[in-house]
Amino acid sequence: AQKVTQAQTEISVVEKEDVTLDCVYETRDTTYYLFWYKQPPSGELVFLIRRNSFDEQNEISGRYSWNFQKSTSSFNFTITASQVVDSAVYFCALSEAQGGYQKVTFGIGTKLQVIP
Amino acid sequence: GAGVSQSPRYKVAKRGQDVALRCDPISGHVSLFWYQQALGQGPEFLTYFQNEAQLDKSGLPSDRFFAERPEGSVSTLKIQRTQQEDSAVYLCASNREGRGNEKLFFGSGTQLSVL
């Protein structure tokens, strides 16, 4: 069975600090995909990034970076020089193709508050 | 449409009432998903449609929950005889084909409060 663990339920940082959101996953499949989504107060989850299980290259996009380590089943997300607009709930998700369609399991989410 | 649209945005129901939640996915998206998000939790899978076919309803919590997508576009999630434990945000998501590597496009959700 799939499982996603986000151990940090809430984090508060002061603006311009760096912050890392942790994600650990469990799966028996060899082919799977990992995602991060952002949920601002408006409620709509917004896609941030996707990695497949065969690609362990880390990725940087502006102030955002992701560290995928298969050996520890982790897919951590770092925001550099945080801003107030980064305040939101962030979800890590694991997607597998089962029976011809995707089954997505979400973590509990990490609520990030960036204080000005 | 430009994005996934859900209505109503908020719904208050008295315990025992029936409710219907609507989802209008992105035009051309074959796959449609319903999720339930309790306060402080992540989205939990309810059901999946590929066009008009409901391929997976394993996440529906009870037989009071029913979903349909009769013409392969708009979907309705119906909850009969609502209970307080049904209070949650109901999220709809869609994508082109439902493949494992596809991102989900979400609506803003319907916040259901059962009194």
Side-chain angles (χ1 to χ4, degrees):
Chain A
Q2 307 176 88
K3 186 177 179 182
V4 176
T5 302
Q6 295 180 256
Q8 309 144 306
T9 53
E10 289 195 42
I11 301 176
S12 287
V13 298
V14 177
E15 200 171 22
K16 296 184 184 176
E17 284 184 349
D18 298 347
V19 58
T20 295
L21 309 183
D22 297 333
C23 173
V24 174
Y25 63 92
E26 292 177 32
T27 178
R28 281 182 272 185
D29 279 12
T30 54
T31 301
Y32 53 89
Y33 305 88
L34 295 162
F35 295 79
W36 277 95
Y37 288 87
K38 176 181 180 179
Q39 187 177 41
S42 60
E44 181 178 327
L45 276 82
V46 177
F47 167 81
L48 294 177
I49 191 163
R50 168 188 55 222
R51 300 308 279 173
N52 71 51
S53 52
F54 298 111
D55 182 2
E56 287 193 70
Q57 263 194 329
N58 291 328
E59 182 159 339
I60 298 175
S61 175
R63 296 184 298 107
Y64 295 171
S65 63
W66 291 269
N67 182 4
F68 176 29
Q69 291 197 337
K70 222 167 166 179
S71 60
T72 55
S73 297
S74 65
F75 185 43
N76 297 336
F77 172 29
T78 297
I79 301 174
T80 303
S82 59
Q83 299 177 2
V84 172
V85 293
D86 296 328
S87 297
V89 181
Y90 292 85
F91 291 97
C92 181
L94 169 66
S95 174
E96 296 169 333
Q98 294 181 6
Y101 61 92
Q102 73 186 136
K103 203 79 179 246
V104 182
T105 300
F106 288 85
I108 195 174
T110 297
K111 184 176 181 180
L112 174 64
Q113 184 178 19
V114 181
I115 303 165
Chain B
V4 178
S5 178
Q6 290 189 248
S7 61
R9 186 74 176 89
Y10 302 94
K11 177 69 180 177
V12 179
K14 290 184 180 178
R15 191 172 54 183
Q17 279 185 334
D18 298 349
V19 297
L21 313 180
R22 176 189 167 104
C23 172
D24 201 341
I26 293 173
S27 178
H29 279 191
V30 165
S31 294
L32 185 145
F33 303 79
W34 282 99
Y35 289 87
Q36 180 189 60
Q37 186 178 18
L39 188 63
Q41 302 293 315
E44 295 276 348
F45 172 81
L46 292 177
T47 187
Y48 167 70
F49 288 87
Q50 194 172 84
N51 294 307
E52 69 278 3
Q54 188 176 22
L55 298 188
D56 189 339
K57 53 182 180 179
S58 62
L60 296 177
S62 76
D63 58 8
R64 296 185 296 103
F65 286 71
F66 171 77
E68 60 182 5
R69 193 186 185 198
E71 296 177 359
S73 54
V74 172
S75 177
T76 304
L77 176 66
K78 297 179 180 178
I79 309 174
Q80 297 176 325
R81 305 181 302 282
T82 52
Q83 304 294 314
Q84 285 187 325
E85 61 263 27
D86 300 335
S87 295
V89 175
Y90 291 85
L91 295 166
C92 177
S94 70
N95 59 26
R96 285 196 183 280
E97 297 177 23
R99 291 185 188 173
N101 63 346
E102 283 187 80
K103 64 182 179 182
L104 293 168
F105 294 83
F106 282 87
S108 296
T110 294
Q111 185 172 329
L112 173 65
S113 299
V114 182
L115 306 177

